[in-house]
Amino acid sequence: MQRLSGLDASFLYLETSTQLLHVCGLIVLDTSTVPGGYSYGRLKEELGIRTEAIPSFRRKLQDSRFNLDHPVWVDDADFDIDRHCHRVAVPAPGGREELAELCGNIAGQPLDRARPLWEMWVIEGLDDGSVAVMSKMHHAGVDGVTGASMIAQLCSLEPDSPRPDPADSAQGAGGASSLEIAVGGLLSVASRPVKLLQIIPRSVGLLPRWIDRARRGDAMPAPFTAPRTSLNGTLTSHRTIAFTQLDFDLVKQVKNAFGVKVNDVVLALCSGALRTYLDTRRELPDKSLVAIVPVSVRGKSDRPGTNQVSGMFTELGSDIEDPAERLLAIAEHNSTSKEHNETLGATLLQDWSQFIGQSVFGAAMRLYSTLGLAERHPVVHNLVISNVPGPTDPLYFLGALIKAMYPMGPIFHGAGLNVTVMSLNGQLDIGLMSCPELAPQLWDLADAFPDALDELAKAAVTRA
């Protein structure tokens, strides 16, 4: 068995019927490249063979009523690909709106915790003859890096790649009895007081140092200081998605012209699109929007667990009209926030999350959701923005050429928009996830991204 870390388990405890914490991805495929031709049966068979050799696809949750610690992963002895791979057709005429509506319905359904926490929906009937695959993986089992890695293990650089040898697969989670889970949990909980004494001295001075940095002007934005917009409310169980694709070479031209980083340009694209979206609705705040950006701590943290991340708050410069000034301001904010985040320590979030208890934390989250408390306190942050680097070469998913791969992360009460970006084969694929009650016209936001890139590209030419 493999016990979940506190951070991994927190995504289970945070989940409610309206705050679903799985990570989604929409892959659009050109099936003409599949050796021997495409059929759903052949794709499902290939998926089943490959997932059998990848232990992360075959592990499920297990717990004991006497367990005082977090649940554990065990191998699913009854793993069946038919429980995880499904087939559906998009309604006519099969355009992007129909595809997005169908995927939003899929994203709004919880995963079955009695089985390995993932699903794939093969979607046929698209108007251009493509086939799409909508994937769902619970955040307890993946972060941005591991989720991309699991999908990558189903991909190849050639359409006809050899199948993996099950003998070469990594060791699985194993099994566990209720007694083993309970005893292991008791021993882990018994060591917590010692761990608490270790992290309190490192944490007690964080607030004074944060205040001191803020006075000097080199602190990232503090939580609860973001302006409120229509995107910052209580979620329902419904989900809406949208997506768009940009020229990654043009993004890099902007990066080079201004001497900034790709992530700075990505945030500037989000800022420009949000300015247009909110201004059209006459709700653009005078104060800058604040985003939280997941930061990988792989290689910096020695703590166990799948989720190896921390969070960085940064301003989006949405109060700045000029796109060039906005991009440079974002780059400066990012530099400050990154340096400040690093001073907090790579393991701070992981260490404190170990003390999260399921019974208390889960009940508190359900009460928070039921009472709509996200609308009764200052906004913690406006949205989540994540940037996942992808391969620069063409990629094939089970033999089919990938035309686009739109990642979509979860949304939270009070921050009902997630923008996740992935670069792939010269394109920048952007996936948006929200709640239709908060963003009924999410396509307006998606369609604002190309214009945001155009204005940055024009500013880059002027600068050159």
Side-chain angles (χ1 to χ4, degrees), residues 52-106:
E52 281 286 347
I54 306 173
S56 297
F57 280 105
R58 293 183 287 104
R59 65 183 185 180
K60 67 176 184 178
L61 293 171
Q62 189 162 318
D63 206 352
S64 165
R65 61 186 300 179
F66 302 108
N67 179 31
L68 301 177
D69 200 10
H70 308 302
V72 301
W73 295 114
V74 297
D75 290 331
D76 183 5
D78 298 320
F79 178 80
D80 185 349
I81 191 62
D82 286 326
R83 296 173 177 171
H84 300 275
C85 186
H86 312 285
R87 185 185 192 183
V88 67
V90 68
R96 67 170 193 173
E97 286 82 5
E98 290 79 21
L99 175 60
E101 183 178 2
L102 175 60
C103 291
N105 292 336
I106 293 173

Side-chain angles (χ1 to χ4, degrees), residues 3 13 19 26 45 80 85 121 135 161 182-183 202 305 323 349-350 369 391 426 445:
R3 193 169 298 274
Y13 309 155
Q19 184 168 272
L26 176 62
E45 178 186 9
D80 185 349
C85 186
W121 293 76
S135 66
S161 62
V183 171
R202 293 192 289 113
L349 180 60
Q350 293 169 300
S369 173
L445 178 56

Side-chain angles (χ1 to χ4, degrees), residues 4 8-15 21 61 71 113 117 138 140:
L4 277 71
D8 294 343
S10 68
F11 290 106
L12 297 174
Y13 309 155
L14 280 168
E15 189 168 56
L21 296 182
L61 293 171
R113 292 195 181 184
L117 295 178
H138 203 283

Side-chain angles (χ1 to χ4, degrees), residues 37-336:
Y38 164 79
S39 72
Y40 170 72
R42 186 175 299 168
L43 185 144
K44 185 180 71 171
E45 178 186 9
E46 192 70 21
L47 179 63
I49 292 172
R50 293 182 181 273
T51 53
E52 281 286 347
I54 306 173
S56 297
F57 280 105
R58 293 183 287 104
R59 65 183 185 180
K60 67 176 184 178
L61 293 171
Q62 189 162 318
D63 206 352
S64 165
R65 61 186 300 179
F66 302 108
N67 179 31
L68 301 177
D69 200 10
H70 308 302
V72 301
W73 295 114
V74 297
D75 290 331
D76 183 5
D78 298 320
F79 178 80
D80 185 349
I81 191 62
D82 286 326
R83 296 173 177 171
H84 300 275
C85 186
H86 312 285
R87 185 185 192 183
V88 67
V90 68
R96 67 170 193 173
E97 286 82 5
E98 290 79 21
L99 175 60
E101 183 178 2
L102 175 60
C103 291
N105 292 336
I106 293 173
Q109 302 299 318
L111 289 165
D112 185 352
R113 292 195 181 184
R115 300 171 179 169
L117 295 178
W118 68 274
E119 290 178 349
M120 287 190 185
W121 293 76
V122 179
I123 304 172
E124 301 172 340
L126 297 179
D127 56 5
D128 63 354
S130 301
V131 171
V133 176
M134 178 72 171
S135 66
K136 293 165 55 177
M137 300 179 179
H138 203 283
H139 218 319
V142 297
D143 59 9
V145 174
T146 54
S149 175
M150 288 175 65
I151 294 296
Q153 293 181 72
L154 303 176
C155 299
S156 61
L157 297 176
E158 299 291 339
D160 192 5
S161 62
R163 293 173 173 174
D165 185 350
D168 297 333
S169 62
Q171 184 177 0
S177 66
S178 296
L179 179 60
E180 290 173 320
I181 296 173
V183 171
L186 179 61
L187 295 175
S188 178
V189 169
S191 66
R192 284 185 180 178
V194 176
K195 296 177 181 177
L196 186 62
L197 292 175
Q198 293 173 343
I199 65 174
I200 285 179
R202 293 192 289 113
S203 305
V204 71
L206 289 180
L207 181 59
R209 290 198 297 270
W210 195 316
I211 295 174
D212 185 56
R213 293 182 70 101
R215 288 173 177 168
R216 300 197 310 266
D218 60 352
M220 61 182 175
F224 300 101
T225 61
R228 184 172 293 279
T229 73
S230 58
L231 298 169
N232 305 120
T234 300
L235 305 178
T236 69
S237 59
H238 306 134
R239 292 296 177 267
T240 181
I241 74 167
F243 43 84
T244 190
Q245 192 173 62
L246 304 177
D247 184 351
F248 191 44
D249 288 336
L250 192 54
V251 170
K252 290 188 287 186
Q253 290 176 24
V254 173
K255 172 190 78 77
N256 294 334
F258 284 92
V260 297
K261 299 179 179 179
V262 168
N263 198 51
D264 299 327
V265 182
V266 167
L267 293 182
L269 289 171
C270 295
S271 179
L274 281 164
R275 272 183 58 88
T276 300
Y277 177 83
L278 294 173
D279 191 43
T280 301
R281 286 155 179 73
R282 299 183 180 180
E283 56 172 306
L284 180 64
D286 295 331
K287 186 179 179 182
S288 173
L289 299 175
V290 175
I292 189 167
V293 180
V295 178
S296 175
V297 296
R298 293 182 183 279
K300 301 177 182 178
S301 170
D302 60 353
R303 304 302 192 262
T306 301
N307 283 271
Q308 297 285 326
V309 294
S310 66
M312 180 184 81
F313 291 88
T314 189
E315 292 185 9
L316 293 181
S318 58
D319 55 333
I320 302 174
E321 183 176 1
D322 182 81
E325 292 181 15
R326 191 187 317 134
L327 173 57
L328 293 174
I330 287 172
E332 184 177 353
H333 291 318
N334 273 351
S335 179
T336 298

Side-chain angles (χ1 to χ4, degrees), residues 384-434:
V384 178
I385 302 176
S386 184
N387 181 20
V388 183
T392 58
D393 299 315
L395 208 59
Y396 296 83
F397 179 83
L398 303 178
L401 177 66
I402 296 178
K403 298 166 62 175
M405 185 182 291
Y406 303 109
M408 288 164 279
I411 53 177
F412 300 86
H413 290 298
L417 175 64
N418 184 296
V419 181
T420 306
V421 176
M422 173 177 281
S423 55
L424 175 65
N425 189 25
Q427 301 292 333
L428 194 69
D429 296 335
I430 302 174
L432 290 78
M433 175 81 73
S434 189

